[in-house]
Amino acid sequence: MLDRNAEAESEQPTQTQQSEKEYVGFATLPNQLHRKSVKKGFDFTLLVAGESGLGKSTLVNSLFLTDLHKDRKLLNAEERISQTVEITKHTVDIEEKGVKLKLTIVDTPGFGDAVNNTACWRPITDYIDQQFEQYFRDESGLNRKNIQDNRVHCCLYFIPPFGHGLHPVDIEFMKALQDKVNVVPLIAKADCLTPFEIKKLKERVREEIDKYGIKIYQFPHCDSDEDEEFKQQDKELKESTPFAVIGSNTVVEARGHRVRGRVYPWGIVEVENPSHCDFVKLRTMLIRTHMHDLKDITSDCHYENYRAQCIQNMTRCEHDKTYTWSQKKVNYE
């Protein structure tokens, strides 16, 4: 009797077997995409712009814990005055916990250094358009499997901490780039200002951005199903714009801990201390929370606008050629 009961129980499907029969398997799609993405790796192109001496290279090295400008030659005052805006590109492969990132930093030495800065942003806008053009050609070609994405995904624009807001060159630069790239304004060398001065400068910059109709990168709205911690973090990031930042690659001793910071006669400024500057918030936004959104906006908005314009121009040219040919034919007849 006991053996028959045991046989009957063994013939009955277990709960696990029953659930596996009802399980189709498409719930593993996110895992498949994750494995594929990690295997392929990621790429990100960051453009930094601003006057010389604002700590652009130091900040980038601090963000990605690398040294992109170890062989850079610093120019003297006379050379900077006569120098035109150049475009220099540095690419480095970074790996963290098995995830590979191909990081490209586009630097703009000479920007804002000349006596006459009229249209000094033209080489930068031309470079961004060239990357769009190259991507459009590759996308329209025969070999579309191995397209390299060199489009600029984000521009960090450094605003000098000296003065009472945006300079004319700052306004013109951001307006020239606002429809081509995600512009993220930064207040450079925030350790030159007191907390009250930083607050007032941020308010002034935000007012002038609204006044002149400058379109900077807008954080996407939080979904209602997001947890409260993420909503609070998103709120703090939005309220911190423009980010007041400090960069440093030097490790110093502070309160018994080794931290990255800058040593002054009156004390130590810690780069990763949220009460000292917005460096951590900028890194969180740029790398940990909104990097993919920056890439999506570049692809779905800025590049699509460029692509639509190209197709429109090509269509117009074809129409003009057809019209000219038909007119010649009529005149001949």
Side-chain angles (χ1 to χ4, degrees):
M1 189 70 180
L2 288 172
D3 291 341
R4 289 180 181 177
N5 289 339
E7 276 183 31
E9 288 178 2
S10 64
E11 290 176 359
Q12 292 289 332
T14 63
Q15 187 175 358
T16 304
Q17 291 172 336
Q18 187 67 29
S19 61
E20 285 183 355
K21 287 182 179 180
E22 297 173 357
Y23 177 68
V24 177
F26 57 81
T28 63
L29 279 173
N31 297 333
Q32 296 175 38
L33 289 173
H34 173 76
R35 286 195 298 269
K36 185 178 179 180
S37 299
V38 169
K39 185 178 180 180
K40 183 180 178 182
F42 301 88
D43 51 66
F44 189 72
T45 301
L46 181 68
L47 185 146
V48 291
E51 298 176 11
S52 298
L54 294 180
K56 302 188 295 294
S57 302
T58 304
L59 182 75
V60 170
N61 290 336
S62 302
L63 284 169
F64 296 97
L65 299 178
T66 185
D67 188 3
L68 294 169
H69 304 274
K70 55 186 176 182
D71 299 325
R72 187 182 58 165
K73 178 186 176 184
L74 297 177
L75 303 179
N76 57 37
E78 292 182 0
E79 291 173 324
R80 287 205 303 270
I81 289 174
S82 61
Q83 183 189 23
T84 57
V85 180
E86 296 180 3
I87 302 294
T88 60
K89 191 167 70 169
H90 308 270
T91 302
V92 61
D93 294 319
I94 307 173
E95 185 171 349
E96 182 182 62
K97 296 182 178 179
V99 179
K100 297 178 181 179
L101 174 67
K102 180 183 178 184
L103 173 67
T104 302
I105 303 297
V106 181
D107 201 357
T108 56
F111 175 81
D113 292 346
V115 175
N116 183 4
N117 287 308
T118 304
C120 61
W121 51 84
R122 189 66 57 78
I124 301 173
T125 56
D126 289 345
Y127 177 83
I128 295 173
D129 285 339
Q130 287 168 10
Q131 306 315 307
F132 282 157
E133 181 183 359
Q134 184 61 49
Y135 192 87
F136 180 71
R137 287 181 178 178
D138 293 343
E139 192 181 43
S140 306
L142 297 175
N143 184 15
R144 300 176 59 189
K145 291 184 178 180
N146 301 314
I147 298 178
Q148 289 189 350
D149 186 5
N150 293 317
R151 296 171 296 180
V152 180
H153 301 115
C154 179
C155 170
L156 297 181
Y157 185 70
F158 288 68
I159 301 169
F162 324 106
H164 301 284
L166 298 176
H167 298 168
V169 68
D170 302 328
I171 297 169
E172 294 300 324
F173 175 87
M174 288 192 280
K175 291 189 76 170
L177 267 72
Q178 63 184 6
D179 295 321
K180 298 177 181 292
V181 68
N182 299 299
V183 179
V184 178
L186 308 177
I187 296 175
K189 294 198 169 184
D191 48 340
C192 298
L193 304 172
T194 65
F196 177 76
E197 290 171 335
I198 291 175
K199 181 181 177 182
K200 298 302 291 184
L201 183 55
K202 283 189 175 188
E203 291 175 355
R204 182 65 182 269
V205 170
R206 283 195 288 261
E207 288 173 2
E208 292 183 335
I209 285 174
D210 292 337
K211 176 182 176 182
Y212 294 103
I214 300 171
K215 293 182 286 186
I216 62 173
Y217 172 66
Q218 297 295 320
F219 292 90
H221 296 292
C222 267
D223 295 330
S224 57
D225 58 347
E226 295 286 356
D227 56 58
E228 291 301 322
E229 183 180 352
F230 184 83
K231 289 181 180 179
Q232 181 62 29
Q233 183 187 60
D234 186 72
K235 181 183 177 182
E236 291 177 359
L237 291 177
K238 290 178 180 177
E239 292 175 348
S240 298
T241 307
F243 299 102
V245 295
I246 305 168
S248 175
N249 299 318
T250 306
V251 178
V252 297
E253 192 83 20
R255 304 189 311 276
H257 299 282
R258 293 179 63 80
V259 296
R260 281 189 296 160
R262 307 179 76 89
V263 180
Y264 293 96
W266 42 262
I268 297 175
V269 174
E270 300 175 33
V271 171
E272 294 175 300
N273 188 332
S275 62
H276 290 187
C277 69
D278 297 328
F279 174 85
V280 173
K281 293 176 182 177
L282 172 64
R283 184 178 62 188
T284 299
M285 182 280 294
L286 190 63
I287 303 174
R288 301 182 181 180
T289 58
H290 290 79
M291 179 180 280
H292 206 277
D293 186 64
L294 290 166
K295 296 185 66 173
D296 284 345
I297 293 177
T298 300
S299 179
D300 300 340
C301 182
H302 299 305
Y303 172 70
E304 280 303 314
N305 290 338
Y306 175 86
R307 181 175 176 274
Q309 188 65 39
C310 285
I311 294 174
Q312 187 177 0
N313 292 339
M314 291 166 62
T315 305
R316 187 183 297 115
C317 289
E318 288 296 324
H319 178 268
D320 292 343
K321 287 180 182 178
T322 304
Y323 178 78
T324 304
W325 182 81
S326 61
Q327 286 296 104
K328 287 182 179 179
K329 186 178 180 182
V330 169
N331 293 336
Y332 178 77
E333 292 175 349

